[in-house]
Amino acid sequence: MDILNGVMQGLQVAFSVEGILLVFIGVLIGTLIGMIPGLGPITAIGVMIPISYGMDINLALIMMAGVYYGAIFGGSTSSILLNAPGVEGTISTAFDGYPMAQKGHAGKALAIAAICSFVGGTVGVVLLMTFAPALASVAVAFGPAEYFALMLLALTAITSLSDGSMSKALISGVLGFMVATVGIDGQTGTPRFTFGNINLLNGIEFLVIGLGLFAIAEVAVLIINRHKAQAKMHKIGSLRLTKEDFKEMRGPMARQSLIGFLIGVLPGAGATIASFIGYTSEKKLSKKPEEFGKGAVAGLAGPETANNAATSGAFVPLLSLGIPGSGTTAVMLGAFLVMGIQPGPLLMTDHPTLFWAIIISMYIGNIFLLILNLPLIPYISKILMIPRPMLISLVIFFCVIGIYTLSFNVFDLYLLLFFGVIGFLIKLVRIPAAPFILAFILGDMMEQSLRKALTISNGSLSIFIEKPIAVSLLIVSVLSLMIPPLFKYIKKKNTSEQPMDM
């Protein structure tokens, strides 16, 4: 009965005139910020905290939640149109979204992203409402050994991110791991690979690498091939999706809504890892994996569904345990504490109105996001009609502003240029950038999880086979590496054994 009362009170807050208005403002601000490369929900929520002083606590927090998932929803736009990810969670969106836009189907790509984002976000909210308390206990069961096994499973995705050459994918992954080790060692406090430069003590920001490898490198390519690129990119294409498109979207949306949500539940995983796993798992399951990276519908639908489902999942540890599931929810936790609210197991009983108002407002927010984005696609797509010199200048401008506002350090701009050159060079030699990004994301988490696990076990590797979850994930990792080459070998053998036509 108490739960029912809480739900009713939450409905009253979420569906009040002020509640609906603030959800709309939150998702609108989040969407606009998500479209700008380099800026993200962390910056937006940080700015919102002082603005929300004096507001009703329930209304202020549902507005900040709207900024969060609105930014993930809107971040796909710059990834698809400019190959410049608006937020970290939309890196994978660019893998097939940008090639689709290059082929003159930008409208179609944005429509797929909007629909999949809506489905992933809505399913995530339903799962959050239904299973939050139970899934919180699952998140607690993940210790260092389980996290290492999960990261290792995600790392096996490198085999899927290679463009035919496994050696080039491994080179890219190793480079990513090397960059991930730059900075102060979290356990010993020893500087590593900083070359005496104090600017590298805190490591290298993810967005510096992401925007350098993708946006700045793409700018260089556009400058070199500007006439050829302009002819292709001026075509926006129709927004209409065919039955075949919906058929290809159906499976990824169903699978990645669940997978993305579950990954979002794990503290520290977040939308970025969910989107990578969404992309790579769909490529492994696809009957036409060779189309991925060239504008595949499933290659866009998978990560877009997963990252939006993960944003809902990230609220499970935040609301149920008081543990932030991502960098953005860490800022959200700060907002809760500033307003005198302690998230955790007692939140549902001590503040039921707030708990249910946030969850219910997500339904409203997802509807607003769909209503906002679908009608605006023809206008958003006109970014491609901007003259090429001006568009290149705008991309560079937003990248520079976005990176500078991360730390207000000019050195980060030099790093942006450096990784832009690296990105351009690896494009020339056809080394994929995706394994670099994935290895960089996972590198620090894998290292820390491994070292913590070995510390707990006094250096014994048996901890990885004594934990049921860890050993299960390790087995799946081995199978994910072995099965694709095995199937390829069997297919090749069957083809060679077929009798030749006389």
Side-chain angles (χ1 to χ4, degrees):
M1 194 65 182
D2 291 336
I3 293 178
L4 182 60
N5 288 334
V7 172
M8 295 304 295
Q9 292 170 10
L11 281 168
Q12 290 178 357
V13 172
F15 280 95
S16 65
V17 175
E18 297 92 342
I20 292 174
L21 179 61
L22 288 173
V23 170
F24 177 79
I25 292 172
V27 298
L28 178 61
I29 292 173
T31 301
L32 294 175
I33 288 177
M35 291 180 184
I36 300 174
L39 299 182
I42 293 179
T43 304
I45 293 174
V47 172
M48 288 288 182
I49 291 176
I51 293 176
S52 64
Y53 288 154
M55 290 177 59
D56 179 84
I57 293 174
N58 301 322
L59 296 175
L61 289 172
I62 64 175
M63 179 180 67
M64 292 184 195
V67 171
Y68 177 29
Y69 51 82
I72 300 295
F73 201 109
S76 60
T77 302
S78 55
S79 291
I80 291 171
L81 298 182
L82 306 174
N83 200 29
V87 295
E88 297 175 5
T90 60
I91 289 276
S92 302
T93 302
F95 296 165
D96 278 281
Y98 186 67
M100 199 177 290
Q102 286 182 306
K103 293 179 178 178
H105 302 300
K108 175 181 173 180
L110 290 170
I112 292 171
I115 293 169
C116 291
S117 297
F118 172 76
V119 172
T122 303
V123 173
V125 173
V126 173
L127 294 173
L128 171 63
M129 189 173 184
T130 309
F131 300 112
L135 288 171
S137 61
V138 174
V140 173
F142 268 69
E146 287 82 4
Y147 271 109
F148 175 79
L150 178 64
M151 298 301 109
L152 187 63
L153 174 60
L155 194 60
T156 60
I158 282 181
T159 59
S160 293
L161 295 174
S162 59
D163 296 327
S165 175
M166 187 63 188
S167 59
K168 289 184 177 180
L170 290 174
I171 291 170
S172 182
V174 169
L175 290 173
F177 272 123
M178 290 170 63
V179 175
T181 60
V182 174
I184 294 178
D185 186 335
Q187 285 195 316
T188 65
T190 305
R192 300 186 299 184
F193 306 109
T194 59
F195 306 100
N197 191 320
I198 60 172
N199 294 295
L200 293 174
L201 290 176
N202 291 326
I204 300 174
E205 289 284 349
F206 173 83
L207 279 174
V208 172
I209 296 174
L211 291 177
L213 291 181
F214 288 92
I216 301 300
E218 190 62 34
V219 163
V221 172
L222 289 177
I223 291 172
I224 293 172
N225 302 318
R226 55 191 176 277
H227 300 297
K228 181 180 177 182
Q230 187 154 357
K232 290 182 178 179
M233 294 291 285
H234 266 190
K235 296 180 181 178
I236 295 171
S238 173
L239 277 67
R240 183 173 297 176
L241 302 181
T242 64
K243 290 183 179 179
E244 185 63 28
D245 292 329
F246 280 109
K247 186 178 179 180
E248 291 185 49
M249 293 163 57
R250 187 172 55 200
M253 286 193 296
R255 288 186 292 269
Q256 301 309 324
S257 293
L258 178 60
I259 294 172
F261 177 79
L262 293 175
I263 292 170
V265 168
L266 302 175
T272 305
I273 292 177
S275 66
F276 269 99
I277 291 179
Y279 182 83
T280 55
S281 60
E282 288 305 320
K283 186 174 181 180
K284 286 179 181 290
L285 293 170
S286 176
K287 296 179 180 178
K288 301 175 181 177
E290 69 279 358
E291 293 183 1
F292 279 63
K294 301 174 183 177
V297 171
L300 176 57
E304 271 303 290
T305 305
N307 62 22
N308 282 272
T311 59
S312 301
F315 278 91
V316 171
L318 175 66
L319 299 178
S320 301
L321 300 173
I323 300 172
S326 63
T328 308
T329 50
V331 179
M332 284 286 293
L333 175 61
F336 273 92
L337 296 176
V338 165
M339 296 179 186
I341 302 294
Q342 176 62 60
L346 298 178
L347 181 64
M348 189 185 293
T349 54
D350 292 349
H351 303 280
T353 302
L354 174 62
F355 182 88
W356 292 109
I358 289 175
I359 293 176
I360 293 167
S361 71
M362 292 182 183
Y363 286 106
I364 304 171
N366 276 297
I367 293 171
F368 276 146
L369 285 168
L370 190 65
I371 294 172
L372 275 172
N373 281 270
L374 280 179
L376 291 177
I377 285 175
Y379 305 101
I380 295 172
S381 301
K382 291 188 183 298
I383 291 174
L384 300 178
M385 303 297 290
I386 297 174
R388 190 61 50 194
M390 185 181 294
L391 182 59
I392 289 171
S393 301
L394 286 173
V395 171
I396 294 173
F397 172 77
F398 284 125
C399 287
V400 169
I401 294 298
I403 294 303
Y404 185 70
T405 54
L406 287 174
S407 60
F408 297 100
N409 189 347
V410 176
F411 184 77
D412 285 343
L413 300 181
Y414 292 120
L415 286 177
L416 176 68
L417 178 61
F418 173 76
F419 284 105
V421 173
I422 296 295
F424 178 71
L425 292 177
I426 64 176
K427 274 180 176 288
L428 289 181
V429 295
R430 298 187 180 276
I431 292 177
F436 187 110
I437 292 289
L438 181 61
F440 175 79
I441 293 170
L442 300 178
D444 182 61
M445 289 187 285
M446 280 189 71
E447 181 189 10
Q448 296 305 320
S449 297
L450 176 62
R451 293 170 72 171
K452 288 176 183 177
L454 293 177
T455 300
I456 293 170
S457 64
N458 293 320
S460 174
L461 294 173
S462 61
I463 190 172
F464 296 105
I465 58 175
E466 291 173 352
K467 303 274 189 178
I469 297 177
V471 73
S472 300
L473 291 171
L474 290 174
I475 291 171
V476 175
S477 300
V478 173
L479 291 176
S480 68
L481 285 173
M482 293 176 60
I483 290 176
L486 182 62
F487 281 170
K488 188 176 181 180
Y489 171 76
I490 293 173
K491 184 178 180 181
K492 185 177 180 181
K493 187 176 180 181
N494 290 338
T495 304
S496 63
E497 290 178 353
Q498 288 179 357
M500 296 180 62
D501 295 332
M502 298 299 292

